[in-house]
Amino acid sequence: MKSVELGEIFDITSSKRVFQSEWKDKGIPFFRAREIVKISKYGFVDNELFISEEMYEDYKSKYGVPKEDDILITGVGTLGITYKVKKGDKFYFKDGNIIWFKKKSDVDSKFVQYCFQSQEVLRQVQSGANGATVGTFTIEKAKKTKIPLPPLATQKKIAAILDAADAHRQKTKQLLAKYDELAQSIFLDMFGDPVTNPKGWKKRTLDKLLTRKTQNGHYAPKDVYSEEGVQMVHMSDAFYQILEPGEFKRVLVSDGLRKKYEINDSDILVARRSLNYEGAAKPCMVPKYSEPLIYESSLIRLTPDQKVLTPIYLFYFLNNDRARGAYVLKHVTKSTISGINNKGLNAVEIVLPPIELQKQFLNIVKVIEMEKVIAKQSLEKAEELFQGLLQKAFKGELVE
DNA sequence: CACTTAGTGATACAAATGCT
DNA sequence: AGCATTTGTATCACTAAGTG
């Protein structure tokens, strides 16, 4: 298939400089790289930066503004994220960090946009950091980036097929998000708001609800990391909700230490430190593992007494924004680095519904979690499908 | 275009505290 | 006292913002 450099089919440039002092809190939306990333991820952006109408009109008349079917691409930090300008879009963007592809020839912009999801093109985007501190996709590099280019009609057909595959992918992603929402709303439905506590459940401090004392995890200087060791969960593994199945870093420990720091599906891990105040003391569930698993010193292990408290309920409670605001965050120390220590964690009050009700919740959430596993698998399949189609399209095998 | 500065998260570390 | 454990902070790694 014929391959071209992007410089041949687009005028590639950037915007005029807009200084921070010229940012306004209303007017014409102003996008930085992060806004482009957000739009591409969620399809919309709650923009907080603007420039004045006058400035926009001034730049528009003097230098022009992005038009329908132009493409914007992030060029600093997160590289190669695209946004195709829609009809009627009215915004301006930051120079240097976003590259502007002005359409100058008869190509299908959507096709070009999909090119930026293929490994071949992404490799070109990421290659050669130019010796800069932060990886950049420069205008020069953009001009020289090669993409395959079939005739226009074929481009359109390919884009249409990829659209379908992409829609399928997005749908699965949304489904996953819906399951999370569902679990949260069932939590609220069954137990009521944890702050106003309308059902009048009793409250207990966490230390009264555990079968063993809270404890920081194993501290291992890096020289004892080894392929032959035991898998150890770090803060980065435990920051989001539930441990993903897969490989963690391994560390050499004695049997005694292994027993001491072992975790399983009846435990909840809590991140001990976080620079961000709201992010401190985030809980994480532990699924069943066939292999022994220990945890690192930046995490604290909670083992609830299952006669009165189920791990799932504890997780949802600690993860609920309202509960965190009312019961958890006040124990978070606020120095240069926010965090929670054992004393603080033990003093966190838990709204404690009867164990029977907690078990009902557990049964429901189990079903949802199982559905989530299935959804995750189909998401992976959808990704594969998409990538597969992309590969074929570029080899000219997808459409005649 | 590529620099400097800034923000954030993770890990390393040493001093403080606690336990026996 | 002598050790284990906890805690706060230093430092590294990384991404991103802002500017000459």
Side-chain angles (χ1 to χ4, degrees):
Chain A
M1 184 181 300
K2 194 176 88 171
S3 119
V4 297
E5 293 186 353
L6 285 170
E8 299 170 38
I9 51 175
F10 288 97
D11 273 331
I12 304 177
T13 175
S14 194
S15 69
K16 282 289 149 193
R17 172 69 49 88
V18 175
F19 288 98
Q20 196 171 15
S21 58
E22 293 163 326
W23 294 356
K24 300 279 183 290
D25 50 16
K26 56 178 188 287
I28 307 296
F30 179 70
F31 294 164
R32 296 160 295 179
R34 69 156 81 152
E35 274 82 26
I36 298 291
V37 171
K38 258 191 211 159
I39 290 181
S40 117
K41 215 170 172 179
Y42 306 113
F44 66 93
V45 61
D46 311 321
N47 205 63
E48 69 265 37
L49 296 177
F50 302 87
I51 61 170
S52 69
E53 189 98 27
E54 298 80 60
M55 190 171 186
Y56 177 81
E57 290 302 334
D58 183 39
Y59 280 3
K60 185 177 175 182
S61 63
K62 283 189 191 145
Y63 318 105
V65 293
K67 287 200 297 288
E68 185 183 7
D69 283 342
D70 285 352
I71 302 178
L72 299 179
I73 299 194
T74 58
V76 168
T78 307
L79 306 179
I81 303 294
T82 57
Y83 175 70
K84 185 166 84 68
V85 181
K86 291 202 279 285
K87 198 171 185 172
D89 272 353
K90 208 171 176 189
F91 66 91
Y92 207 64
F93 63 98
K94 187 177 174 319
D95 75 297
N97 295 10
I98 295 173
I99 305 176
W100 179 11
F101 284 43
K102 287 192 209 171
K103 198 173 158 180
K104 73 168 173 187
S105 60
D106 209 11
V107 289
D108 186 54
S109 295
K110 210 159 207 182
F111 173 81
V112 177
Q113 201 180 13
Y114 278 127
C115 287
F116 275 88
Q117 295 198 27
S118 82
Q119 295 307 315
E120 285 85 349
V121 175
L122 283 180
R123 207 174 299 129
Q124 295 179 65
V125 169
Q126 251 122 30
S127 72
N130 284 359
T133 0
V134 175
T136 45
F137 184 50
T138 61
I139 292 174
E140 276 314 302
K141 256 165 82 179
K143 283 182 180 163
K144 293 207 179 90
T145 300
K146 286 197 179 87
I147 61 162
L149 195 71
L152 185 62
T154 313
Q155 292 171 33
K156 288 201 164 136
K157 273 187 210 156
I158 291 175
I161 294 170
L162 291 175
D163 270 349
D166 186 52
H168 174 52
R169 194 167 65 159
Q170 298 305 338
K171 237 195 221 155
T172 325
K173 254 186 212 158
Q174 281 164 12
L175 185 63
L176 268 174
K178 279 272 182 297
Y179 282 138
D180 283 336
E181 273 171 40
L182 180 62
Q184 269 299 333
S185 71
I186 291 172
F187 177 88
L188 288 179
D189 220 45
M190 283 182 81
F191 306 117
D193 178 77
V195 180
T196 56
N197 191 14
K199 310 204 177 183
W201 310 123
K202 57 189 176 181
K203 294 180 191 172
R204 292 282 180 278
T205 52
L206 192 52
D207 58 337
K208 307 260 164 43
L209 304 170
L210 304 174
T211 55
R212 56 183 165 187
K213 275 178 58 181
T214 62
Q215 189 177 36
N216 290 0
H218 179 52
Y219 168 55
K222 57 181 168 190
D223 48 284
V224 295
Y225 285 94
S226 157
E227 290 298 308
E228 279 102 67
V230 178
Q231 292 197 59
M232 181 159 81
V233 175
H234 288 67
M235 202 160 122
S236 47
D237 306 316
F239 209 64
Y240 301 100
Q241 309 224 321
I242 185 161
L243 291 180
E244 293 287 327
E247 280 287 301
F248 302 106
K249 274 196 223 165
R250 290 172 181 275
V251 67
L252 291 172
V253 290
S254 67
D255 276 2
L257 284 178
R258 202 206 72 209
K259 276 215 180 79
K260 180 170 173 178
Y261 293 116
E262 194 156 1
I263 47 173
N264 60 42
D265 61 338
S266 54
D267 298 318
I268 294 290
L269 293 173
V270 174
R272 190 161 73 83
R273 326 215 43 75
S274 166
L275 284 184
N276 157 338
Y277 179 65
E278 281 74 27
K282 277 266 179 186
C284 176
M285 288 186 277
V286 183
K288 267 200 168 52
Y289 264 85
S290 48
E291 233 187 285
L293 208 57
I294 62 176
Y295 66 110
E296 200 269 341
S297 77
S298 289
L299 297 163
I300 298 176
R301 177 185 59 196
L302 301 176
T303 311
D305 177 356
Q306 300 212 27
K307 289 199 291 295
V308 287
L309 177 64
T310 64
I312 294 273
Y313 175 82
L314 178 59
F315 170 82
Y316 274 88
F317 183 82
L318 291 178
N319 201 41
N320 178 278
D321 278 341
R322 302 232 340 128
R324 288 171 57 74
Y327 305 107
V328 180
L329 291 184
K330 65 179 170 188
H331 297 289
V332 170
T333 59
K334 220 177 174 182
S335 61
T336 39
I337 303 172
S338 304
I340 195 158
N341 54 32
N342 283 269
K343 202 171 150 207
L345 195 53
N346 276 295
V348 170
E349 273 190 307
I350 305 289
V351 174
L352 198 68
I355 188 72
E356 295 76 30
L357 203 57
Q358 287 183 48
K359 280 185 178 154
Q360 275 180 38
F361 178 67
L362 172 100
N363 288 331
I364 296 167
V365 171
K366 248 192 207 156
V367 176
I368 296 176
E369 288 295 331
M370 270 154 62
E371 291 298 324
K372 265 172 75 178
V373 171
I374 295 169
K376 265 186 199 158
Q377 283 167 354
S378 56
L379 181 60
E380 266 168 45
K381 283 220 183 87
E383 286 293 342
E384 271 171 41
L385 174 69
F386 182 86
Q387 283 298 334
L389 286 172
L390 206 56
Q391 293 298 323
K392 280 209 163 149
F394 283 3
K395 281 190 207 141
E397 294 168 6
L398 192 59
V399 180
E400 285 309 308

